[in-house]
Amino acid sequence: MPRIGIIVGSTASASINRKVAKAMATYLPEGFEVEFLDFSALPFYNYELEAEWPAEATAWKNSIESADGIIIVTPEYSRSIPGALKNALDWSARPWGKASFNGKPTAVMGASVGASGAAMAQQHLRNILAHFNAPTMGQPETFFHFNAEVFGADGSVQDESTAAVLRGFAEAAAAFIGSHVTEPASA
Ligand SMILES: Cc1cc2nc3c(=O)[nH]c(=O)nc-3n(C[C@H](O)[C@H](O)[C@H](O)COP(=O)(O)O)c2cc1C
């Protein structure tokens, strides 16, 4: 079964992007294995750490490489992606020539408390993914303006127009990833 890895750009336990990602994941069609990929154990990248390559970085790269496609749900911090996510992407790009996102179909969305819906962060992320040679879903762009009231206590979406946005993104992302799957990624 093709596997989708979901990366949340925030490490906050109360992350609104994690909440949105979890809700979005409920709308992914059947026929995909879904796993949330965690980068919170990674050290801050510097190239000197490559001399004794950290086990956490191996685990992180394996988690990306064993997925057939990736969905990234990111907040916007200071008009870009959070530093923690950038750090994780930098680790994924190393060692030279072994970028984990190379050829990996990827879909991007983001949520913010502001009306811009993490638009600038998503655009910066698209630049990075282009550099990684990751085919990236163009549409639908999903700039999610977070409103806590549309989520129930169990995290489910209570409002049909919000559900339609998340369902539309999830179905398009699954179709995009599915269209790139020739054979499941090796575990
Ligand atoms: C350091 C910092 C910078 C932020 N910068 C932006 C920003 O540039 N644009 C924006 O829409 N929201 C910004 N916000 C507000 C975030 O949208 C809000 O904190 C949101 O909860 C972050 O998502 P998360 O809960 O998933 O981490 C910023 C928040 C923080 C903590």
Side-chain angles (χ1 to χ4, degrees):
M1 194 182 280
R3 194 184 304 174
I4 295 178
I6 300 180
I7 297 171
V8 176
S10 176
T11 55
S13 57
S15 163
I16 62 171
N17 281 273
R18 191 171 310 281
K19 200 170 272 189
V20 170
K22 283 184 175 166
M24 180 278 297
T26 67
Y27 298 111
L28 287 167
E30 283 181 21
F32 291 88
E33 204 179 306
V34 178
E35 193 187 347
F36 279 74
L37 311 185
D38 183 12
F39 58 70
S40 61
L42 288 169
F44 289 132
Y45 176 82
N46 89 53
Y47 51 80
E48 290 159 357
L49 296 182
E50 292 193 28
E52 286 186 55
W53 186 268
E56 293 85 354
T58 300
W60 168 239
K61 283 177 67 69
N62 285 345
S63 73
I64 298 164
E65 290 165 23
S66 65
D68 294 285
I70 303 286
I71 295 174
I72 304 179
V73 184
T74 187
E76 180 171 295
Y77 287 0
S78 308
R79 296 289 181 259
S80 186
I81 60 171
L85 175 59
K86 181 61 164 60
N87 183 58
L89 294 174
D90 288 342
W91 273 113
S92 81
R94 301 299 299 166
W96 179 251
K98 299 249 191 273
S100 302
F101 276 91
N102 184 18
K104 193 70 68 183
T106 303
V108 167
M109 67 168 291
S112 111
V113 293
S116 68
M120 291 185 75
Q122 292 187 55
Q123 202 57 50
H124 283 187
L125 183 53
R126 287 176 184 279
N127 290 355
I128 296 165
L129 292 169
H131 173 64
F132 288 167
N133 193 37
T136 304
M137 184 173 79
Q139 295 289 345
E141 295 176 298
T142 302
F143 309 122
F144 195 92
H145 183 190
F146 184 80
N147 173 4
E149 287 171 13
V150 306
F151 292 90
D154 62 354
S156 63
V157 175
Q158 306 295 307
D159 161 65
E160 184 42 41
S161 65
T162 304
V165 168
L166 295 180
R167 191 185 302 114
F169 175 86
E171 288 176 353
F176 179 77
I177 290 167
S179 74
H180 285 79
V181 174
T182 45
E183 53 190 73
S186 56

